[in-house]
Amino acid sequence: MKQKFLLLYALLLCVSSAMAGGLKLPQLFQDGMVLQRGVDIPVWGWADAGQTVTVSLADAKGKGKVLSSATTTAGTDGCWRVELPKNRRMKAGGPYTLEFRTTNSISIKDVLLGDVWLLSGQSNIDVTIERVYPIYTDEIDDFSLDGVRLFRVQNDTSTHGVKDDIRPTSINWKPLTKENAWLFSAVGSFLGKRMFQSTGVPQGIIVNSWGGTPIEAWISADSLKRDYPMLVKRTQLFQNDSYVRAQMQANGEASRRWNEILNQADDVQNYSRLSYQDADWQEIDQKDWNWWGTGSVWLRQHITIDKAHAGRPARLLLGTLYDQDVTYLNGQQIGQTGYQYPPRRYDIPEGLLQEGDNVIAIRFINKSGAAHFIPEKPYLLCFGDDRLSQNPMPRDVIPLGTTWKMHVGAQMPSCPSGDVSLQNLPTTLYNAVLHPLAPFALSGVVWYQGESNVGNPSPYADYLTKLIGCWRDRWQRQDLPFVVVQLANYDGRQQTGRPSPIVFQSEPVNSNWARLREAQRLTSEKLPYVELATAIDLGETVDIHPLRKKEVAERIGACFDRMVYSKRVALSPRVAKTVVNGRDIRLILDQPMRSEAELRFFEVAGADGRYHNATARQEGAMVILISSPVDQPRSLRYAWKDNPLGLNVYNPQGWPLLPQQIEL
């Protein structure tokens, strides 16, 4: 309760600091902010109609000399906007003070001038530093960069058109430290550090993302209504606020009541206890176990702890589970997770592990699909350091067995759901959390999204073109740089609720993941000032949220190096030319490649459109297909699979050839 009060108090301070008399500023304008260097700086807000507003940027050191200023008058609607003219005195760095004066005044302190980046999309932008900590432990422990400031846009939706401002947020231009970044975007944190080290100037990282959202939610109504009028009408169906509130309230009540009945029917207290006799429970192996049912199912595993480990604090790694779990050790709850994706890393307090017999009890709570383990993830007790960066297996561990005792706790009917999920409707996120950010000056945008559109990838290239276009229109910058992150390799099982063994796709397949990646590639090649940072080799077969976010940030940064700073850097190789002579196909790339004896994942099709595997080799900047069953090849595909694990066409800098389809 005390923490909630302090958070509310902090948010109220943020609001009050940005308001004085009739003068009000957007949520982006707060102490510690980063303003874009080298441009006329847009500043805007609200005041009483007809009120004169003066804005000035002053050096916070010494006498506080004013470096740039502008004056305007609030319109009849109270809105005002100025641009602070750039000049040679406005050097990157700081600190500066941003002063607003009417009949009252507001001072924004500790302002830095540098580069500002907007990162948007769905859950792979959301993945936090806490989630990736075990593989970058030393680096995250050493996070301490005042020159990198973090801002998290608070989630919000609107079905009624665009909003003027975003909601207050708790991560508002905080310096990059381990504590501040712990629940902040890992990609954003690593990108900020990387760009600071590369440029030597302050970096502002604005993260504006929402897990599970489709691209349509981030596009303006004006951009959609001509070609996709039904999408706009779909959102209009939810403009009755009373209906939406009633649906959400009913959904919450149904879920609450479902859980209440479940808990009354389930023997939680007994099934979690060490002394409970589970000898008559069914024995299962987690590698191939799944439970198709609705309600709860319990799994118990006994582990023997020696004297050396008894009483010591530890961490229990339980991979990832479908869907919800509550986990106990010797009858004491040590952790719970409300949905399938986060890794289960539960701390065991000192004194709970006893010498001899101990029991881990997992209560799966299932509302759909099949309860199951993701067996390829780590399952172990870890004492001390659980980092994964230097060694895939921590030094002092007790691996869990794969055998568990299973018992159905309480079976339930399906849980009624009236959830309207406004964040998944077309235009709602553009309206509420994108439109209000402009015209805040930016260096560039990162777009990392697409997983939620894999089910229907056909219109994605058009959607992505419209998104980039309407965002550039909103900022009135047709050269606003975009880096699109191409989706990582992934086999699709984690999100289905339908467990199955890993299937490595050796034969040609019609992959929706490949089709969406191709839409991302084609859009990046069609539009100016757009680069593609592929993650096709940075994914995890069984995890839609791969952890190698630093490497993703490095590739994003290299793309910005080329677009924003005009640096000569090597990115993913591109096919510059194709030469076809019968079955002989040669791809001329735009740069030399790393030497490999045999190249994987090439496929060729003839006039019938059926693809067949082909073998290939590499000579310098040339890929030569040396064996193909197709007499008259018409098209070629590379890495056209959900999970092309082990692709091996790379340039010397470590950038892979992009998955793609080429008409010959």
Side-chain angles (χ1 to χ4, degrees), residues 236-252:
Q236 291 171 345
L237 291 173
F238 293 87
Q239 288 181 335
N240 185 314
D241 292 338
S242 297
Y243 166 74
V244 170
R245 280 195 299 270
Q247 287 290 97
M248 295 176 71
Q249 184 175 354
N251 186 65

Side-chain angles (χ1 to χ4, degrees), residues 401-430:
T402 63
T403 301
W404 297 77
K405 293 283 192 150
M406 185 205 82
H407 180 73
V408 175
Q411 290 188 296
M412 292 285 292
S414 297
C415 181
S417 176
D419 186 15
V420 293
S421 298
L422 295 181
Q423 75 275 13
N424 295 328
L425 295 174
T427 77
T428 56
L429 298 182
Y430 176 90

Side-chain angles (χ1 to χ4, degrees), residues 531-559:
E531 291 286 358
L532 194 67
T534 187
I536 190 59
D537 57 336
L538 300 177
E540 297 181 33
T541 297
V542 295
D543 200 332
I544 201 170
H545 303 118
L547 300 184
R548 295 172 63 188
K549 299 306 186 196
K550 179 182 178 182
E551 290 82 350
V552 172
E554 289 288 342
R555 289 183 180 173
I556 293 169
C559 291

Side-chain angles (χ1 to χ4, degrees), residues 25 29-31 33 96-98 100 106-109 111:
L25 302 179
F29 289 84
Q30 298 188 36
D31 290 349
M33 69 187 303
Y96 298 97
T97 300
L98 196 58
F100 302 82
I106 297 175
S107 291
I108 305 293
K109 300 179 176 61
V111 177

Side-chain angles (χ1 to χ4, degrees), residues 141-456:
D141 283 343
D142 290 340
F143 273 177
S144 182
L145 284 175
D146 185 61
V148 178
R149 306 287 174 85
L150 313 176
F151 189 98
R152 182 64 168 92
V153 176
Q154 184 69 28
N155 287 346
D156 195 10
T157 63
S158 172
T159 60
H160 294 280
V162 298
K163 291 189 173 184
D164 292 331
D165 201 6
I166 56 175
R167 297 167 57 196
T169 180
S170 58
I171 303 180
N172 43 22
W173 300 116
K174 303 292 187 184
L176 177 61
T177 65
K178 177 182 176 181
E179 180 182 14
N180 291 338
W182 194 243
L183 298 180
F184 191 77
S185 163
V187 172
S189 300
F190 286 123
L191 180 64
K193 179 182 176 182
R194 190 261 188 210
M195 301 309 286
F196 180 83
Q197 292 175 334
S198 174
T199 65
V201 306
Q203 302 292 309
I205 302 293
I206 302 173
V207 168
N208 185 20
S209 54
W210 195 325
T213 54
I215 191 173
E216 303 95 303
W218 297 91
I219 304 173
S220 70
D222 286 344
S223 298
L224 289 174
K225 65 184 179 183
R226 187 187 71 178
D227 297 322
Y228 305 100
M230 290 303 164
L231 292 181
V232 178
K233 289 178 181 178
R234 181 181 161 208
T235 301
Q236 291 171 345
L237 291 173
F238 293 87
Q239 288 181 335
N240 185 314
D241 292 338
S242 297
Y243 166 74
V244 170
R245 280 195 299 270
Q247 287 290 97
M248 295 176 71
Q249 184 175 354
N251 186 65
E253 178 59 26
S255 181
R256 185 197 65 78
R257 182 58 179 155
W258 190 90
N259 284 304
E260 184 179 81
I261 296 171
L262 173 71
N263 292 335
Q264 289 171 353
D266 203 357
D267 196 352
V268 175
Q269 185 172 3
N270 279 321
Y271 293 160
S272 64
R273 287 189 297 117
L274 173 61
S275 59
Y276 180 81
Q277 297 301 307
D278 55 22
D280 60 343
W281 283 22
Q282 179 184 351
E283 193 170 276
I284 62 96
D285 191 311
Q286 73 178 44
K287 295 192 298 296
D288 53 20
W289 171 77
N290 63 83
W291 180 70
W292 287 95
T294 305
S296 68
V297 61
W298 287 82
L299 279 84
R300 288 166 56 95
Q301 181 174 144
H302 291 261
I303 55 173
T304 301
I305 298 297
D306 60 23
K307 185 175 182 179
H309 292 92
R312 291 174 55 186
R315 174 168 282 194
L316 175 63
L317 304 188
L318 276 178
T320 53
L321 310 173
Y322 187 94
D323 181 31
Q324 301 180 45
D325 77 283
V326 184
T327 297
Y328 303 83
L329 179 70
N330 296 340
Q332 180 173 321
Q333 181 179 323
I334 57 172
Q336 62 178 330
T337 303
Y339 65 111
Q340 61 183 305
Y341 294 122
R344 273 57 169 179
R345 302 199 297 255
Y346 297 147
D347 289 327
I348 298 173
E350 185 176 2
L352 186 56
L353 283 170
Q354 62 184 41
E355 185 177 357
D357 188 35
N358 296 259
V359 70
I360 299 167
I362 307 174
R363 185 192 188 209
F364 286 82
I365 300 174
N366 206 44
K367 294 184 177 181
S368 64
H372 62 276
F373 294 85
I374 303 295
E376 295 79 11
K377 291 288 187 176
Y379 295 85
L380 47 90
L381 268 177
C382 185
F383 296 86
D385 195 352
D386 71 339
R387 73 186 65 197
L388 303 175
S389 54
Q390 302 299 322
N391 197 323
M393 183 63 73
R395 181 169 47 84
D396 189 7
V397 304
I398 299 175
L400 301 186
T402 63
T403 301
W404 297 77
K405 293 283 192 150
M406 185 205 82
H407 180 73
V408 175
Q411 290 188 296
M412 292 285 292
S414 297
C415 181
S417 176
D419 186 15
V420 293
S421 298
L422 295 181
Q423 75 275 13
N424 295 328
L425 295 174
T427 77
T428 56
L429 298 182
Y430 176 90
N431 292 341
V433 293
L434 191 283
H435 183 275
L437 300 183
F440 198 85
L442 305 172
S443 276
V445 176
V446 177
W447 178 251
Y448 191 171
Q449 188 276 342
E451 297 90 342
S452 289
N453 289 88
V454 164
N456 180 25

Side-chain angles (χ1 to χ4, degrees), residues 65 83 89 114 127 143 154 181 214 271 393 435 443 452 455 464 467 511 604 623 627 647:
K65 183 178 181 180
E83 290 191 355
R89 297 176 297 169
V127 168
F143 273 177
Q154 184 69 28
Y271 293 160
M393 183 63 73
H435 183 275
S443 276
S452 289
L464 184 54
L467 179 137
S511 164
V604 177
V623 173
S627 176
L647 52 78

Side-chain angles (χ1 to χ4, degrees), residues 41-53:
I41 300 173
V43 182
W44 71 98
W46 304 269
D48 295 334
Q51 198 168 40
T52 300
V53 180

